[in-house]
Amino acid sequence: MELPLSIIITFISLIYGLALAHALSCIAEYIQYRDKIKQYWVWWLWAIILLLLSIGFWVSIYITWKDVAIPMRGFLAIVLQSSLFYLTIFLFFNHINEMEKKDLNHEYYKYKKIMFLLVLVQYFIIFVIFNLIKDNLSLYDVLIHTFKNTTFLTYILNPFLWMILLAFIDNRRFHSIVGTLILISAMAQFLSG
């Protein structure tokens, strides 16, 4: 059974829309009650990156599947990735009354491991699993093709490597430097088209 892209895009747009609505409502609270919570600029950096990732992931899903009949396993992979994105957003963005200490520094380091591992899994689904399903290739073929691709280091290795390191390293300077570099890279990619 194959599903048309229009149905799938509508379905995942609802999931992404719910995630973004949650994120934006939390951001609005943080701005509204800025005097009641302790701010942390690295948290804000990652909030922006996650919002940009929502656009990048959604566009990647569309570009990957726009010219291909989507089998049911492709639909399931898309739903899995979208659901993981929603979970990532829901874990990272908490309403003020859900915060333990009203401190974005505490919130960031409390949830960073699971958040970065969820983002890592999403990258794997989008850049590896989608290609396995779309092109009906073996994992070996996808990895060989990926390694031959000159954009591998830019689009695959860096996100995988950075997400693993960010999940397991607690050094605040490391998080600020890597977050800044990822935001600059993301902005450059978006501005370059």
Side-chain angles (χ1 to χ4, degrees):
M1 178 177 172
E2 295 175 351
L3 298 169
L5 182 64
S6 60
I7 291 173
I8 293 171
I9 287 294
T10 302
F11 181 73
I12 65 162
S13 294
L14 291 171
I15 297 171
Y16 272 80
L18 287 170
L20 291 174
H22 176 76
L24 294 174
S25 69
C26 289
I27 288 172
E29 281 184 16
Y30 300 165
I31 293 169
Q32 228 174 357
Y33 301 106
R34 64 188 167 276
D35 298 334
K36 294 182 180 181
I37 61 172
K38 185 176 176 188
Q39 301 294 324
Y40 182 50
W41 73 275
V42 175
W43 184 95
W44 283 100
L45 193 76
W46 279 100
I48 294 167
I49 292 168
L50 285 173
L51 294 175
L52 291 174
L53 271 179
S54 71
I55 298 165
F57 284 164
W58 192 87
V59 169
S60 293
I61 292 168
Y62 177 77
I63 289 171
T64 300
W65 297 103
K66 69 179 178 166
D67 298 325
V68 179
I70 304 170
M72 186 55 74
R73 64 185 185 277
F75 174 68
L76 293 175
I78 293 168
V79 169
L80 176 62
Q81 186 281 324
S82 302
S83 299
L84 290 175
F85 179 76
Y86 180 84
L87 289 174
T88 304
I89 292 294
F90 202 82
L91 286 170
F92 187 77
F93 293 92
N94 289 306
H95 290 286
I96 290 178
N97 61 352
E98 298 167 341
M99 288 181 171
E100 193 176 312
K101 294 185 177 182
K102 311 289 188 263
D103 180 353
L104 292 179
N105 184 358
H106 175 76
E107 293 291 310
Y108 178 81
Y109 288 100
K110 180 179 176 183
Y111 295 108
K112 76 165 182 66
K113 183 180 287 186
I114 189 69
M115 183 199 69
F116 289 121
L117 292 176
L118 283 170
V119 172
L120 173 70
V121 170
Q122 292 172 68
Y123 270 104
F124 184 78
I125 291 170
I126 287 176
F127 292 107
V128 176
I129 302 297
F130 281 6
N131 288 323
L132 284 170
I133 295 168
K134 180 184 83 160
D135 298 330
N136 204 18
L137 299 172
S138 69
L139 180 58
Y140 174 79
D141 292 336
V142 169
L143 293 176
I144 291 300
H145 173 72
T146 304
F147 277 108
K148 288 181 181 176
N149 187 347
T150 56
T151 60
F152 175 77
L153 290 175
T154 305
Y155 297 107
I156 303 294
L157 182 59
N158 286 341
F160 280 110
L161 176 64
W162 292 129
M163 294 307 120
I164 291 169
L165 292 174
L166 287 164
F168 294 103
I169 294 175
D170 288 331
N171 184 289
R172 291 175 185 342
R173 182 174 288 158
F174 177 78
H175 279 264
S176 63
I177 291 169
V178 172
T180 302
L181 292 174
I182 289 174
L183 180 60
I184 290 169
S185 172
M187 294 299 292
Q189 287 178 7
F190 275 101
L191 295 175
S192 69

